[in-house]
Amino acid sequence: MKKISLIGAGNIGTILAFSISRRKLGDILLVDVVDGLAEGKCLDLSQSLSIENLNSEITGTTDLSQIKNSDAIIITAGIARKPGMSRDDLIETNFSIMAEIGTAIKKYSPESFVICITNPLDAMVWSLLKTSGLKKNMVVGMAGILDTARFKLFLSHEIGVSMDCIQTMVLGGHGDSMVPLLEHTSISGTPLKDFLKIKKIKNKQIQKIIERTRNGGGEIVSLMKNSSAFFAPASSAIEMLEAFLFNQKKLLPCSTYLDGQYNCKNVCVGVPVILGEKGVEKVIELNLNDQEFQDFNKSVNSVEELIKKCNKLLAKLN
Ligand code: TXD
Protein backbone atom coordinates (compact mmCIF):
# COMPACT_ATOMS: atom_id res chain seq x y z
CA MET A 1 0.00 0.00 0.00
CA LYS A 2 1.18 3.51 -0.78
CA LYS A 3 1.28 5.95 2.11
CA ILE A 4 -0.54 9.21 1.46
CA SER A 5 -0.28 11.97 4.02
CA LEU A 6 -2.79 14.78 4.11
CA ILE A 7 -1.68 17.80 6.11
CA GLY A 8 -4.74 19.80 7.11
CA ALA A 9 -7.96 18.10 8.20
CA GLY A 10 -10.33 20.90 7.28
CA ASN A 11 -12.89 20.86 4.47
CA ILE A 12 -10.61 19.83 1.61
CA GLY A 13 -8.45 17.48 3.70
CA THR A 14 -11.57 15.65 4.88
CA ILE A 15 -12.94 15.14 1.36
CA LEU A 16 -9.52 14.05 0.17
CA ALA A 17 -9.36 11.41 2.91
CA PHE A 18 -12.84 10.18 1.98
CA SER A 19 -12.09 10.04 -1.78
CA ILE A 20 -8.70 8.37 -1.32
CA SER A 21 -10.29 5.67 0.86
CA ARG A 22 -13.07 5.05 -1.70
CA ARG A 23 -10.63 4.91 -4.61
CA LYS A 24 -8.32 2.56 -2.66
CA LEU A 25 -5.29 4.71 -3.41
CA GLY A 26 -3.38 3.86 -0.24
CA ASP A 27 -3.11 4.14 3.52
CA ILE A 28 -3.95 7.58 4.82
CA LEU A 29 -2.32 9.75 7.45
CA LEU A 30 -4.32 12.86 8.31
CA VAL A 31 -2.52 15.59 10.26
CA ASP A 32 -4.00 18.70 11.82
CA VAL A 33 -2.74 21.14 14.40
CA VAL A 34 -6.10 21.09 16.22
CA ASP A 35 -6.02 18.49 18.94
CA GLY A 36 -8.35 15.53 18.24
CA LEU A 37 -9.67 16.83 14.90
CA ALA A 38 -7.72 14.51 12.59
CA GLU A 39 -7.96 11.60 15.05
CA GLY A 40 -11.74 11.96 15.33
CA LYS A 41 -12.27 12.20 11.56
CA CYS A 42 -10.03 9.19 10.95
CA LEU A 43 -11.79 7.08 13.54
CA ASP A 44 -15.12 7.91 11.92
CA LEU A 45 -13.77 7.22 8.41
CA SER A 46 -12.18 3.92 9.55
CA GLN A 47 -15.54 2.84 10.94
CA SER A 48 -17.08 3.33 7.50
CA LEU A 49 -14.66 0.97 5.75
CA SER A 50 -16.13 -2.44 6.57
CA ILE A 51 -19.59 -1.26 5.50
CA GLU A 52 -18.22 -0.52 2.04
CA ASN A 53 -15.97 -3.61 1.87
CA LEU A 54 -12.85 -1.48 2.04
CA ASN A 55 -9.69 -2.04 3.97
CA SER A 56 -6.96 0.49 4.62
CA GLU A 57 -5.07 2.11 7.48
CA ILE A 58 -6.44 5.56 8.28
CA THR A 59 -4.63 7.39 11.05
CA GLY A 60 -5.17 10.85 12.50
CA THR A 61 -2.53 12.77 14.41
CA THR A 62 -1.20 16.19 15.40
CA ASP A 63 2.35 14.95 15.05
CA LEU A 64 4.01 15.98 11.77
CA SER A 65 6.86 13.49 12.26
CA GLN A 66 4.39 10.72 11.42
CA ILE A 67 4.52 11.73 7.74
CA LYS A 68 7.76 9.68 7.67
CA ASN A 69 8.33 7.94 4.32
CA SER A 70 5.12 9.07 2.65
CA ASP A 71 4.81 8.38 -1.07
CA ALA A 72 2.69 11.47 -1.57
CA ILE A 73 1.73 14.42 0.62
CA ILE A 74 -1.15 16.80 -0.01
CA ILE A 75 -1.12 20.07 1.89
CA THR A 76 -4.25 22.03 2.72
CA ALA A 77 -3.09 23.33 6.10
CA GLY A 78 -3.55 27.00 6.67
CA ILE A 79 -6.16 29.63 7.10
CA ALA A 80 -8.84 30.02 4.43
CA ARG A 81 -10.42 33.17 3.03
CA LYS A 82 -13.31 34.95 4.73
CA PRO A 83 -15.68 37.16 2.71
CA GLY A 84 -13.89 40.30 1.57
CA MET A 85 -10.42 38.75 1.94
CA SER A 86 -8.22 38.15 -1.08
CA ARG A 87 -6.08 35.04 -1.42
CA ASP A 88 -3.06 37.28 -0.91
CA ASP A 89 -4.24 38.40 2.54
CA LEU A 90 -3.34 34.94 3.82
CA ILE A 91 0.35 35.19 3.02
CA GLU A 92 2.15 35.71 6.35
CA THR A 93 0.26 33.09 8.33
CA ASN A 94 0.28 30.52 5.59
CA PHE A 95 3.98 31.12 4.82
CA SER A 96 4.93 30.22 8.38
CA ILE A 97 2.74 27.09 8.18
CA MET A 98 4.44 26.08 4.89
CA ALA A 99 7.85 26.66 6.46
CA GLU A 100 6.97 24.36 9.36
CA ILE A 101 5.64 21.69 7.01
CA GLY A 102 8.53 22.10 4.53
CA THR A 103 11.03 21.57 7.34
CA ALA A 104 9.19 18.42 8.46
CA ILE A 105 9.16 17.07 4.90
CA LYS A 106 12.91 17.67 4.60
CA LYS A 107 13.50 15.75 7.82
CA TYR A 108 10.99 12.92 7.62
CA SER A 109 9.93 12.40 4.02
CA PRO A 110 12.43 13.87 1.55
CA GLU A 111 11.52 11.46 -1.27
CA SER A 112 7.80 12.19 -1.44
CA PHE A 113 5.71 13.87 -4.13
CA VAL A 114 4.03 16.97 -2.72
CA ILE A 115 0.84 18.64 -3.92
CA CYS A 116 0.12 22.02 -2.38
CA ILE A 117 -3.42 23.42 -2.26
CA THR A 118 -3.02 26.17 0.35
CA ASN A 119 -3.43 29.78 -0.80
CA PRO A 120 -1.97 32.06 -2.02
CA LEU A 121 -1.20 29.01 -4.09
CA ASP A 122 1.78 29.82 -6.29
CA ALA A 123 3.68 31.60 -3.52
CA MET A 124 3.01 28.69 -1.14
CA VAL A 125 4.35 26.16 -3.68
CA TRP A 126 7.50 28.29 -3.96
CA SER A 127 7.81 28.49 -0.16
CA LEU A 128 7.43 24.73 0.22
CA LEU A 129 10.03 24.10 -2.43
CA LYS A 130 12.53 26.37 -0.68
CA THR A 131 11.90 25.08 2.84
CA SER A 132 11.63 21.36 2.02
CA GLY A 133 14.71 21.18 -0.20
CA LEU A 134 12.80 18.77 -2.49
CA LYS A 135 13.64 18.60 -6.18
CA LYS A 136 11.60 21.06 -8.25
CA ASN A 137 9.74 18.30 -10.09
CA MET A 138 8.43 16.89 -6.81
CA VAL A 139 6.52 19.92 -5.50
CA VAL A 140 3.51 21.06 -7.46
CA GLY A 141 0.48 23.26 -6.87
CA MET A 142 -3.19 22.59 -7.60
CA ALA A 143 -5.15 25.47 -9.13
CA GLY A 144 -5.15 25.28 -12.93
CA ILE A 145 -7.29 22.13 -13.01
CA LEU A 146 -9.87 23.78 -10.78
CA ASP A 147 -9.85 27.08 -12.68
CA THR A 148 -10.16 25.15 -15.95
CA ALA A 149 -13.07 23.10 -14.59
CA ARG A 150 -14.88 26.31 -13.62
CA PHE A 151 -14.26 27.85 -17.04
CA LYS A 152 -15.56 24.66 -18.71
CA LEU A 153 -18.71 24.60 -16.58
CA PHE A 154 -19.61 28.20 -17.40
CA LEU A 155 -18.83 27.73 -21.11
CA SER A 156 -20.91 24.56 -21.30
CA HIS A 157 -23.91 26.33 -19.74
CA GLU A 158 -23.63 29.25 -22.15
CA ILE A 159 -23.05 27.24 -25.34
CA GLY A 160 -25.37 24.40 -24.36
CA VAL A 161 -22.87 21.55 -24.86
CA SER A 162 -21.64 18.93 -22.46
CA MET A 163 -18.53 19.81 -20.45
CA ASP A 164 -16.92 16.59 -21.68
CA CYS A 165 -16.75 18.07 -25.19
CA ILE A 166 -14.81 21.16 -24.14
CA GLN A 167 -11.01 21.23 -24.23
CA THR A 168 -9.36 24.25 -22.67
CA MET A 169 -6.80 25.37 -20.12
CA VAL A 170 -6.39 28.19 -17.63
CA LEU A 171 -2.79 29.19 -16.95
CA GLY A 172 -0.94 31.75 -14.85
CA GLY A 173 -1.20 32.47 -11.14
CA HIS A 174 -4.21 31.34 -9.12
CA GLY A 175 -5.52 34.86 -8.71
CA ASP A 176 -7.53 37.58 -10.33
CA SER A 177 -5.21 37.67 -13.34
CA MET A 178 -5.35 33.95 -14.26
CA VAL A 179 -5.35 33.40 -18.03
CA PRO A 180 -8.01 31.28 -19.80
CA LEU A 181 -6.51 30.33 -23.17
CA LEU A 182 -9.21 31.19 -25.69
CA GLU A 183 -7.13 30.23 -28.72
CA HIS A 184 -6.56 26.82 -27.15
CA THR A 185 -10.25 26.29 -26.43
CA SER A 186 -12.24 23.92 -28.62
CA ILE A 187 -15.50 22.02 -28.60
CA SER A 188 -14.93 18.46 -29.79
CA GLY A 189 -11.99 19.72 -31.81
CA THR A 190 -13.78 22.74 -33.30
CA PRO A 191 -12.13 26.03 -32.24
CA LEU A 192 -14.20 28.29 -29.99
CA LYS A 193 -13.88 31.10 -32.55
CA ASP A 194 -15.95 29.01 -35.00
CA PHE A 195 -18.74 28.98 -32.41
CA LEU A 196 -18.44 32.78 -32.30
CA LYS A 197 -18.82 32.90 -36.09
CA ILE A 198 -22.01 30.81 -36.04
CA LYS A 199 -23.27 32.92 -33.12
CA LYS A 200 -23.54 30.07 -30.61
CA ILE A 201 -21.80 32.40 -28.19
CA LYS A 202 -20.93 36.12 -28.24
CA ASN A 203 -17.67 37.79 -27.32
CA LYS A 204 -19.43 39.66 -24.54
CA GLN A 205 -20.58 36.37 -23.00
CA ILE A 206 -17.06 34.95 -23.18
CA GLN A 207 -15.68 38.01 -21.38
CA LYS A 208 -18.31 37.56 -18.66
CA ILE A 209 -17.36 33.90 -18.31
CA ILE A 210 -13.68 34.83 -17.98
CA GLU A 211 -14.55 37.29 -15.21
CA ARG A 212 -16.72 34.72 -13.45
CA THR A 213 -13.92 32.13 -13.68
CA ARG A 214 -11.41 34.59 -12.23
CA ASN A 215 -13.82 35.26 -9.38
CA GLY A 216 -14.88 31.59 -9.14
CA GLY A 217 -13.42 31.08 -5.65
CA GLY A 218 -14.69 34.45 -4.38
CA GLU A 219 -18.21 33.73 -5.64
CA ILE A 220 -18.33 30.58 -3.50
CA VAL A 221 -16.81 32.31 -0.45
CA SER A 222 -19.42 35.06 -0.64
CA LEU A 223 -22.22 32.48 -0.81
CA MET A 224 -20.97 30.18 1.96
CA LYS A 225 -19.51 33.02 4.13
CA ASN A 226 -17.49 30.77 6.46
CA SER A 227 -15.66 28.59 4.00
CA SER A 228 -14.12 28.44 0.57
CA ALA A 229 -14.70 25.82 -2.13
CA PHE A 230 -13.89 22.22 -1.25
CA PHE A 231 -15.48 19.59 -3.55
CA ALA A 232 -13.91 20.72 -6.83
CA PRO A 233 -10.51 21.52 -5.25
CA ALA A 234 -10.39 18.00 -3.78
CA SER A 235 -11.33 16.37 -7.13
CA SER A 236 -8.63 18.41 -8.86
CA ALA A 237 -5.95 17.28 -6.41
CA ILE A 238 -7.06 13.64 -6.76
CA GLU A 239 -6.55 13.89 -10.53
CA MET A 240 -2.97 15.02 -9.88
CA LEU A 241 -2.36 12.36 -7.24
CA GLU A 242 -3.56 9.57 -9.54
CA ALA A 243 -1.42 10.88 -12.42
CA PHE A 244 1.59 10.47 -10.09
CA LEU A 245 0.62 7.15 -8.46
CA PHE A 246 -0.32 5.45 -11.75
CA ASN A 247 2.32 7.14 -13.93
CA GLN A 248 -0.43 8.43 -16.21
CA LYS A 249 1.65 11.12 -18.00
CA LYS A 250 -1.35 13.44 -18.01
CA LEU A 251 -1.00 16.92 -19.46
CA LEU A 252 -2.48 19.18 -16.79
CA PRO A 253 -2.23 22.85 -15.85
CA CYS A 254 -0.34 22.92 -12.54
CA SER A 255 1.73 25.40 -10.62
CA THR A 256 5.37 24.43 -11.01
CA TYR A 257 8.81 25.99 -10.61
CA LEU A 258 9.99 27.70 -13.80
CA ASP A 259 13.64 27.92 -14.55
CA GLY A 260 13.72 29.74 -17.86
CA GLN A 261 10.55 28.31 -19.44
CA TYR A 262 8.05 30.97 -20.56
CA ASN A 263 10.91 33.46 -19.95
CA CYS A 264 10.38 33.07 -16.19
CA LYS A 265 12.91 32.27 -13.51
CA ASN A 266 12.62 31.45 -9.82
CA VAL A 267 8.83 31.62 -9.85
CA CYS A 268 6.07 29.03 -9.43
CA VAL A 269 3.08 29.55 -11.68
CA GLY A 270 0.43 27.56 -13.55
CA VAL A 271 1.59 26.10 -16.88
CA PRO A 272 0.84 22.84 -18.71
CA VAL A 273 2.97 20.01 -17.31
CA ILE A 274 3.17 16.27 -17.83
CA LEU A 275 2.54 14.53 -14.51
CA GLY A 276 3.77 11.00 -14.01
CA GLU A 277 5.72 8.83 -11.58
CA LYS A 278 8.59 11.36 -11.51
CA GLY A 279 6.23 14.19 -10.60
CA VAL A 280 6.48 17.05 -13.08
CA GLU A 281 8.17 15.20 -15.92
CA LYS A 282 8.03 18.04 -18.42
CA VAL A 283 6.88 21.63 -18.68
CA ILE A 284 5.13 22.18 -22.01
CA GLU A 285 5.84 25.57 -23.55
CA LEU A 286 2.81 26.52 -25.60
CA ASN A 287 2.91 29.00 -28.40
CA LEU A 288 0.89 31.79 -26.79
CA ASN A 289 -0.45 34.61 -28.93
CA ASP A 290 0.51 38.23 -28.10
CA GLN A 291 -2.54 38.87 -25.92
CA GLU A 292 -2.18 35.58 -24.04
CA PHE A 293 1.52 36.19 -23.50
CA GLN A 294 0.87 39.70 -22.23
CA ASP A 295 -1.84 38.42 -19.85
CA PHE A 296 0.39 35.57 -18.69
CA ASN A 297 3.24 38.00 -17.92
CA LYS A 298 0.88 40.25 -15.98
CA SER A 299 -0.22 37.26 -13.93
CA VAL A 300 3.40 36.18 -13.35
CA ASN A 301 4.24 39.71 -12.17
CA SER A 302 1.56 39.57 -9.49
CA VAL A 303 2.83 36.15 -8.31
CA GLU A 304 6.38 37.55 -8.23
CA GLU A 305 5.26 40.30 -5.86
CA LEU A 306 4.01 37.65 -3.42
CA ILE A 307 7.15 35.57 -3.83
CA LYS A 308 9.20 38.66 -2.93
CA LYS A 309 7.26 38.84 0.34
CA CYS A 310 7.89 35.13 0.96
CA ASN A 311 11.58 35.60 0.20
CA LYS A 312 11.75 38.27 2.93
CA LEU A 313 9.97 35.97 5.37
CA LEU A 314 12.33 33.15 4.37
CA ALA A 315 15.38 35.35 5.03
CA LYS A 316 14.07 36.06 8.54
CA LEU A 317 13.85 32.31 9.20
CA ASN A 318 17.46 31.63 8.23
O1 TXD B 1 -7.33 26.21 -5.97
C1 TXD B 1 -6.86 26.16 -4.86
N1 TXD B 1 -5.58 25.91 -4.68
C2 TXD B 1 -7.73 26.36 -3.68
C3 TXD B 1 -7.08 26.66 -2.44
C4 TXD B 1 -9.13 26.23 -3.73
C5 TXD B 1 -9.88 26.31 -2.57
C6 TXD B 1 -9.28 26.54 -1.27
N2 TXD B 1 -7.90 26.90 -1.32
C7 TXD B 1 -7.12 26.98 -0.09
O2 TXD B 1 -6.94 25.67 0.45
C8 TXD B 1 -7.75 27.75 1.05
O3 TXD B 1 -7.59 29.14 0.84
C9 TXD B 1 -6.93 27.25 2.22
O4 TXD B 1 -5.68 27.92 2.27
C10 TXD B 1 -6.66 25.78 1.86
C11 TXD B 1 -7.46 24.76 2.63
O5 TXD B 1 -8.84 24.97 2.46
P1 TXD B 1 -9.90 24.29 3.45
O6 TXD B 1 -11.23 24.71 2.98
O7 TXD B 1 -9.60 22.85 3.63
O8 TXD B 1 -9.54 25.06 4.78
P2 TXD B 1 -9.96 24.70 6.28
O9 TXD B 1 -11.22 23.95 6.32
O10 TXD B 1 -9.83 25.98 7.03
O11 TXD B 1 -8.81 23.69 6.76
C12 TXD B 1 -7.49 24.06 7.01
C13 TXD B 1 -7.00 23.19 8.13
C14 TXD B 1 -7.67 23.46 9.48
O12 TXD B 1 -8.27 22.28 9.99
C15 TXD B 1 -6.51 23.92 10.36
O13 TXD B 1 -6.65 23.53 11.72
C16 TXD B 1 -5.34 23.24 9.69
O14 TXD B 1 -5.59 23.40 8.30
N3 TXD B 1 -4.02 23.78 10.03
C17 TXD B 1 -2.94 23.00 10.18
N4 TXD B 1 -2.78 21.67 10.05
C18 TXD B 1 -1.54 21.17 10.27
N5 TXD B 1 -0.47 21.93 10.56
C19 TXD B 1 -0.59 23.28 10.70
N6 TXD B 1 0.47 24.04 11.01
C20 TXD B 1 -1.87 23.86 10.49
N7 TXD B 1 -2.36 25.12 10.54
C21 TXD B 1 -3.67 25.07 10.25
Side-chain angles (χ1 to χ4, degrees):
M1 281 292 247
K2 298 282 185 193
K3 174 173 174 180
I4 300 158
S5 293
L6 307 172
I7 310 183
N11 285 329
I12 303 177
T14 304
I15 296 172
L16 284 173
F18 182 80
S19 303
I20 290 167
S21 71
R22 267 51 196 168
R23 287 169 179 254
K24 306 180 189 173
L25 298 181
D27 290 332
I28 299 166
L29 179 81
L30 186 63
V31 189
D32 201 285
V33 74
V34 175
D35 199 26
L37 182 70
E39 290 100 307
K41 290 190 174 181
C42 287
L43 186 58
D44 182 18
L45 192 54
S46 300
Q47 289 165 359
S48 76
L49 294 178
S50 67
I51 307 165
E52 310 238 12
N53 288 322
L54 297 166
N55 208 340
S56 58
E57 289 272 329
I58 302 178
T59 314
T61 182
T62 52
D63 175 9
L64 263 180
S65 72
Q66 289 197 34
I67 63 170
K68 204 167 189 251
N69 299 333
S70 301
D71 293 283
I73 301 176
I74 308 184
I75 299 166
T76 60
I79 52 164
R81 279 197 285 171
K82 303 272 170 344
M85 276 174 98
S86 78
R87 293 180 178 96
D88 304 353
D89 293 336
L90 311 170
I91 200 154
E92 285 203 20
T93 311
N94 286 352
F95 172 84
S96 60
I97 295 171
M98 292 311 110
E100 183 195 347
I101 295 170
T103 309
I105 292 174
K106 185 182 226 166
K107 191 164 174 196
Y108 302 110
S109 200
E111 302 295 327
S112 48
F113 173 62
V114 175
I115 300 172
C116 176
I117 301 186
T118 303
N119 271 327
L121 194 266
D122 307 279
M124 295 302 102
V125 178
W126 184 91
S127 306
L128 273 170
L129 193 61
K130 298 290 168 179
T131 53
S132 68
L134 257 57
K135 291 189 198 123
K136 62 180 194 294
N137 55 309
M138 294 303 270
V139 183
V140 70
M142 186 292 294
I145 299 174
L146 172 66
D147 298 330
T148 302
R150 287 175 174 158
F151 188 50
K152 268 190 195 178
L153 175 73
F154 304 145
L155 272 179
S156 89
H157 284 172
E158 204 62 54
I159 304 175
V161 291
S162 152
M163 283 183 284
D164 300 349
C165 304
I166 302 177
Q167 299 80 37
T168 187
M169 246 191 274
V170 178
L171 303 188
H174 182 53
D176 303 336
S177 54
M178 62 180 79
V179 191
L181 297 185
L182 293 183
E183 288 234 346
H184 294 78
T185 303
S186 60
I187 294 106
S188 292
T190 305
L192 180 64
K193 56 176 185 273
D194 290 2
F195 278 73
L196 275 164
K197 278 186 205 148
I198 58 168
K199 298 193 172 36
K200 279 281 176 203
I201 190 162
K202 293 188 189 128
N203 234 329
K204 229 177 164 182
Q205 290 167 307
I206 294 179
Q207 292 315 315
K208 267 194 181 163
I209 289 173
I210 292 176
E211 273 322 297
R212 192 169 176 203
T213 304
R214 287 184 172 146
N215 187 41
E219 183 179 0
I220 291 174
V221 173
S222 62
L223 287 167
M224 296 203 290
K225 317 277 188 300
N226 289 321
S227 117
S228 48
F230 43 85
F231 290 117
S235 298
S236 309
I238 293 281
E239 184 171 30
M240 294 165 74
L241 176 66
E242 289 185 335
F244 166 73
L245 292 177
F246 305 129
N247 193 20
Q248 287 170 335
K249 319 265 185 218
K250 274 199 176 177
L251 179 66
L252 297 167
C254 300
S255 182
T256 189
Y257 187 81
L258 297 182
D259 196 14
Q261 302 96 332
Y262 288 92
N263 286 336
C264 296
K265 264 191 179 275
N266 192 26
V267 65
C268 292
V269 75
V271 291
V273 301
I274 294 179
L275 276 191
E277 66 186 349
K278 296 191 184 74
V280 174
E281 299 192 350
K282 212 172 179 37
V283 172
I284 301 296
E285 288 193 78
L286 295 177
N287 222 339
L288 301 182
N289 67 27
D290 288 350
Q291 186 62 52
E292 287 168 343
F293 200 65
Q294 211 176 309
D295 292 349
F296 180 78
N297 281 336
K298 191 175 152 211
S299 183
V300 171
N301 289 341
S302 60
V303 172
E304 279 173 338
E305 286 306 308
L306 296 180
I307 289 179
K308 261 188 218 157
K309 287 186 190 164
C310 292
N311 209 3
K312 282 193 187 144
L313 295 166
L314 186 67
K316 277 192 207 161
L317 279 185
N318 298 328

